[in-house]
Amino acid sequence: MTLLISSTPTFARDIDGKAISAKVLDEVREEVLALAGQQIYPALAVLLVGDDPASHVYVRNKLLRAKEVGIRSLEYRLPETASQAQVLELIAQLNADPTVNGILVQLPLPAPIDEQAVIHAIDPIKDVDGFHRENVGGLVQGIEVLTPCTPSGCMRLLHETCGDDLSGLHAVVIGRSNIVGKPMATLLLQANCSVSVVHSRSVDAPALCRLADIVVAAVGRPALIDASWLKPGAVVIDVGINRITSEFGNRLVGDVDYASARTVASAITPVPGGVGPMTIAYLLKNTLIASRLQRAAQARGQQPEDDLALN
Ligand code: GUN
């Protein structure tokens, strides 16, 4: 008997961030409509300081998507020369405005503005980026808080791909930034994964990564992770957006070598069209969560003392 072995490699399926983000945006749109029926109109304020061209594109896309789902957006622009005091003054105004539910300050901020001072000036209940230390602490403790948008979007991609239950899967997060790596590891832990964080000081990062059922790459190094880093069948989420300039022009490349990785992985996010659209969708979801948390806090605050005593 002749044993026929196919030489055709099987390729990973794409995890379609555009389609999944469209689903999330539909959920947001539906909730916005329901809230409008109760005369509640959630609003997002976006502050852009300076001339960073990538930031201008990101902010334009955020405002565009907000409009599409019916979320009221307020755009504030300050020049490259704006002082930290000016930025803090505007944030104080937005914190005090009860009609503003979410505040986003696009990063990076021009030097010498202290990013941490600005992030921590935002009222945590309006911090739709989830970067404030109060929200970071709440996330670690498993309390309902505003959670960073990119990791939330990655979790949704994983649930859509692997199902509701990720219990017992081994997830490796590559990168340990405050914006993605650390909150991503925390969310995976909450989903009952065993979690490893691989970083620049890890010994034999590819060997650690090969143990993973789920790989989340967020290091900002173009095409660092190839097939040799992956266990067959791994699910790969590529957070990297690296702009490469070559003789063929500009193109976007992830942290994962897509062509190589897809010969080993079972599912993978493309770049672009994977994680990118999810970040904005979850920013808008966070705006609704912020609005709900504020209404709940207000209701608690307005409860008469006698009622509280009865509880
Ligand atoms: N710049 C790059 N990513 C982000 C993000 O998620 N939020 C903000 N505010 N700025 C960014």
Side-chain angles (χ1 to χ4, degrees), residues 47 55 58 62 104-108 129 131 148-150 179 279:
L47 170 57
S55 291
Y58 291 137
K62 285 169 185 177
L104 179 138
V105 179
Q106 186 65 30
L107 304 177
D129 263 323
F131 294 164
C149 308
T150 301
I179 293 184
T279 299

Side-chain angles (χ1 to χ4, degrees), residues 151-152 154-171 184-195 213-214 216 235 237:
S152 298
C154 292
M155 288 305 293
R156 178 65 178 262
L157 293 176
L158 285 170
H159 284 302
E160 294 277 343
T161 306
C162 308
D164 287 343
D165 188 10
L166 306 179
S167 299
L169 295 176
H170 183 198
M184 188 71 225
T186 307
L187 288 171
L188 287 161
L189 189 59
Q190 275 171 9
N192 301 313
C193 292
S194 298
V195 183
D213 304 299
I214 293 169
V216 181
V235 172
I237 306 291

Side-chain angles (χ1 to χ4, degrees), residues 15-46:
I15 302 172
D16 187 345
K18 274 193 202 157
I20 298 171
S21 69
K23 225 161 109 171
V24 177
L25 291 171
D26 282 345
E27 293 163 10
V28 171
R29 196 178 288 111
E30 216 170 283
E31 196 176 333
V32 168
L33 272 176
L35 289 171
Q38 304 167 53
Q39 270 78 58
I40 296 166
Y41 305 100
L44 170 67
V46 179

Side-chain angles (χ1 to χ4, degrees), residues 20-252:
I20 298 171
S21 69
K23 225 161 109 171
V24 177
L25 291 171
D26 282 345
E27 293 163 10
V28 171
R29 196 178 288 111
E30 216 170 283
E31 196 176 333
V32 168
L33 272 176
L35 289 171
Q38 304 167 53
Q39 270 78 58
I40 296 166
Y41 305 100
L44 170 67
V46 179
L47 170 57
L48 176 58
V49 186
D51 309 316
D52 182 73
S55 291
H56 276 257
V57 174
Y58 291 137
V59 164
R60 194 178 62 222
N61 289 338
K62 285 169 185 177
L63 296 168
L64 206 68
R65 292 283 171 271
K67 195 171 175 192
E68 279 170 13
V69 296
I71 288 184
R72 203 162 62 85
S73 60
L74 306 152
E75 184 182 3
Y76 297 89
R77 288 178 185 235
L78 289 174
E80 187 82 20
T81 52
S83 68
Q84 182 165 316
Q86 276 176 294
V87 175
L88 296 179
E89 167 60 28
L90 178 54
I91 290 173
Q93 277 174 31
L94 296 169
N95 281 341
D97 185 341
T99 69
V100 171
N101 304 104
I103 302 171
L104 179 138
V105 179
Q106 186 65 30
L107 304 177
L109 289 168
I113 297 177
D114 177 352
E115 258 176 29
Q116 288 300 312
V118 169
I119 288 169
H120 291 105
I122 298 172
D123 185 340
I125 210 167
K126 296 189 176 185
D127 166 36
V128 280
D129 263 323
F131 294 164
H132 193 289
R133 60 175 78 88
E134 194 169 306
N135 288 323
V136 175
L139 172 64
V140 171
Q141 293 189 336
I143 298 167
E144 192 193 18
V145 286
L146 294 164
T147 302
C149 308
T150 301
S152 298
C154 292
M155 288 305 293
R156 178 65 178 262
L157 293 176
L158 285 170
H159 284 302
E160 294 277 343
T161 306
C162 308
D164 287 343
D165 188 10
L166 306 179
S167 299
L169 295 176
H170 183 198
V172 168
V173 179
I174 309 170
R176 53 176 163 174
S177 68
N178 289 337
I179 293 184
V180 184
K182 287 180 199 165
M184 188 71 225
T186 307
L187 288 171
L188 287 161
L189 189 59
Q190 275 171 9
N192 301 313
C193 292
S194 298
V195 183
S196 308
V197 180
V198 168
H199 49 78
S200 53
R201 301 289 180 93
S202 294
V203 175
D204 202 349
L208 292 170
C209 197
R210 275 194 297 275
L211 300 172
D213 304 299
I214 293 169
V215 174
V216 181
V219 267
R221 298 264 306 272
L224 174 72
I225 294 118
D226 66 13
S228 72
W229 289 54
L230 301 175
K231 174 163 96 174
V235 172
V236 179
I237 306 291
D238 188 355
V239 181
I241 303 177
N242 307 291
R243 219 168 287 275
I244 301 283
T245 308
S246 72
E247 57 194 298
F248 306 112
N250 288 337
R251 67 191 178 103
L252 291 181

